[in-house]
């Protein structure tokens, strides 16, 4: 554990928030998990327990360490109580600039003066988020990847005013958690999504133009480029609404037509086909089944011999 950081508050208990709580609790930190809804917090604790069970089953975590880690997580629905003794606060709420503005304005008032304010945003400007506080030197991007307990990368994003000492501390902390940190600067999409999202968008454009079907596109990228998931399956995994929101940040941020989201992606999001979380995107999802079945709406585009 790093000396300067003992208590970490994570705001948001969704997929990213509970994954971040999982790794910090396992790393020995006191974790305060905050959400506006107690039922969401209870579900998140259940998810963390199940994900830790996978580690216990394969022998990378003992039952005793699991129990100790879960014991380090406390849940809160009140922001003031959740942050009052925090050394580091990581915001992992929905990707919505107005919501983040409100959270960071509140954090600036409620968090201890020396606390570092980090955001897990996947594409919103760190400099803009920092501008909602009176401590922009202490605001930084700490972008974890999904699933957080599995993925090694932490993309650390410096806002325009971020203090180099804060970057160094977050870098060391990420390493101490067993992650591999990479520091980048604050431009639209940073690095991860500036490169990932145009690839996903190109896969959707290829499908839209009928160049190939869903399975062909994903198989080519999986087996041809050794990606663990094809780009369409990955888009479903991330959430098509999130992919669209990030592409719009790139499109408006750079003002370049090459980032314009595919019409098929826009249509799917408007129709509520958001990927795994809504039960259907490019594929159909059945709870408890790992089988990949192409959505009926897109199956006619498959090449069948
Ligand atoms: N918590 C803990 N462990 C987990 C887990 C979780 N939530 N999910 C999976 N695992 C573990 C499993 O226990 C398993 O461990 P072992 O190999 O040691 O047995 C391992 O991860 C693989 O899991 P599965 O066997 O269940 O499934 P898989 O082999 O198909 O792998 C995957 C699943 C890890 C998700 C893999 O498909 C993968 O790496 N996919 C790509 C993920 C990716 O690209 N993520 C980044 C998305 S972009 C993003 O997050 C940022 C953004 O801004 C949009």
């Amino acid at each position: 554990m790093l000396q300067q950081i003992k208590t970490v508050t994570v705001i948001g208990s969704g997929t990213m928030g509970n994954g971040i709580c999982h790794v910090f609790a396992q790393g020995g930190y006191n974790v305060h998990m905050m959400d506006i809804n107690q039922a969401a917090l209870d579900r998140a604790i259940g998810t963390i327990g199940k994900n830790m069970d996978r580690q216990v089953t394969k022998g990378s975590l003992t039952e005793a360490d699991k129990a100790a880690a879960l014991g380090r997580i406390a849940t809160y629905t009140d922001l003031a109580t959740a942050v009052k003794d925090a050394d580091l606060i990581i915001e992992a709420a929905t990707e919505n600039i107005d919501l983040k503005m409100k959270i960071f304005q509140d954090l600036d008032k409620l968090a201890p003066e020396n606390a570092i304010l980090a955001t897990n945003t996947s594409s919103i400007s760190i400099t803009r988020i920092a501008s909602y506080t009176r401590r922009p030197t202490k605001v930084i991007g700490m972008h974890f990847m999904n699933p957080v307990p599995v993925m090694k990368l932490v993309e650390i994003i410096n806002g325009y005013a971020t203090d180099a000492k804060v970057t160094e501390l977050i870098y060391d902390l990420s390493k101490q958690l067993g992650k591999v940190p990479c520091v980048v600067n604050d431009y639209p999409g940073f690095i991860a999504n500036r490169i990932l999202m145009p690839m996903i968008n190109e896969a959707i454009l290829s499908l839209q133009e009928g160049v190939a079907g869903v399975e062909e596109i994903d198989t080519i990228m999986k087996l041809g480029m050794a990606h663990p998931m094809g780009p369409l399956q990955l888009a479903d995994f991330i959430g098509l609404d999130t992919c669209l929101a990030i592409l719009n940040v790139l499109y408006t941020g750079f003002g370049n037509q090459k980032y314009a989201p595919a019409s098929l992606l826009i249509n799917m999001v408007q129709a509520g086909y958001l990927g795994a979380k809504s039960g259907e995107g490019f594929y159909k999802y059945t709870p408890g089944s790992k089988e990949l079945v192409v959505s009926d709406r897109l199956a006619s585009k498959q090449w069948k011999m």
Side-chain angles (χ1 to χ4, degrees):
M1 238 174 77
L2 284 189
Q3 206 51 39
Q4 303 93 315
I5 310 278
K6 290 190 174 64
T7 299
V8 179
T9 299
V10 178
I11 298 174
S13 64
T15 310
M16 297 306 288
N18 76 56
I20 296 169
C21 289
H22 176 143
V23 296
F24 274 98
Q26 202 180 321
Y29 295 87
N30 296 322
V31 176
H32 294 182
M33 180 161 61
M34 192 269 158
D35 207 308
I36 43 175
N37 179 334
Q38 186 61 47
L41 288 164
D42 296 342
R43 267 197 309 278
I45 293 286
T47 303
I48 296 171
K50 274 197 218 126
N51 285 332
M52 286 185 177
D53 283 340
R54 297 176 190 237
Q55 296 168 282
V56 172
T57 307
K58 63 181 196 227
S60 62
L61 188 72
T62 65
E63 273 292 352
D65 286 344
K66 175 193 154 189
L70 285 174
R72 282 191 281 270
I73 306 177
T75 62
Y76 298 84
T77 52
D78 174 55
L79 186 65
T81 327
V83 302
K84 81 173 186 323
D85 57 355
D87 305 304
L88 167 67
I89 296 149
I90 304 175
E91 171 274 319
T94 312
E95 285 291 86
N96 171 315
I97 185 66
D98 295 330
L99 176 65
K100 290 193 197 289
M101 176 174 77
K102 171 87 178 80
I103 291 174
F104 276 82
Q105 284 170 341
D106 288 348
L107 285 178
D108 196 33
K109 285 185 214 124
L110 300 170
E113 206 182 314
N114 285 328
I116 294 171
L117 308 183
T119 169
N120 180 57
T121 182
S122 49
S123 62
I124 295 174
S125 162
I126 308 304
T127 308
R128 184 166 175 192
I129 291 174
S131 76
Y132 302 131
T133 74
R134 287 158 304 167
R135 57 177 107 183
T137 56
K138 294 198 177 71
V139 178
I140 193 160
M142 198 175 185
H143 184 202
F144 290 84
M145 304 289 136
N146 184 19
V148 181
V150 180
M151 305 298 283
K152 285 279 182 197
L153 178 70
V154 179
E155 186 180 35
I156 296 175
I157 307 109
N158 280 326
Y160 191 78
T162 309
D163 191 321
K165 285 199 177 63
V166 171
T167 311
E168 208 178 307
L169 184 69
I170 295 299
Y171 185 92
D172 291 345
L173 174 67
S174 305
K175 276 179 99 168
Q176 199 277 326
L177 289 171
K179 302 292 186 193
V180 178
C182 283
V183 181
V184 308
N185 291 316
D186 187 21
Y187 285 84
F190 319 133
I191 286 295
N193 282 316
R194 180 173 178 163
I195 295 173
L196 175 64
M197 286 303 155
M199 183 192 72
I200 286 178
N201 200 38
E202 204 59 39
I204 302 172
L205 286 168
S206 306
L207 177 69
Q208 182 180 303
E209 290 167 17
V211 183
V214 174
E215 277 169 327
E216 287 79 5
I217 292 170
D218 274 356
T219 303
I220 286 166
M221 297 306 289
K222 257 198 303 199
L223 302 187
M225 283 75 190
H227 291 186
M229 286 175 169
L232 300 174
Q233 187 191 356
L234 183 56
D236 274 0
F237 179 70
I238 293 168
L240 301 193
D241 51 343
T242 303
C243 293
L244 179 59
I246 298 172
L247 277 163
N248 277 326
V249 167
L250 291 169
Y251 187 35
T252 52
F254 289 115
N256 188 328
Q257 196 61 26
K258 77 175 175 176
Y259 299 109
S263 312
L264 175 60
L265 174 64
I266 297 171
N267 278 347
M268 290 174 79
V269 172
Q270 275 170 352
Y273 291 80
L274 305 181
K277 66 181 166 190
S278 73
E280 190 167 338
F282 295 102
Y283 297 91
K284 283 189 285 193
Y285 299 87
T286 315
S289 165
K290 277 188 139 191
E291 201 198 343
L292 273 180
V293 181
V294 174
S295 158
D296 296 334
R297 281 156 195 84
L298 302 167
S300 62
K301 293 188 188 289
Q302 297 294 111
W303 176 256
K304 290 281 174 254
M305 290 286 281

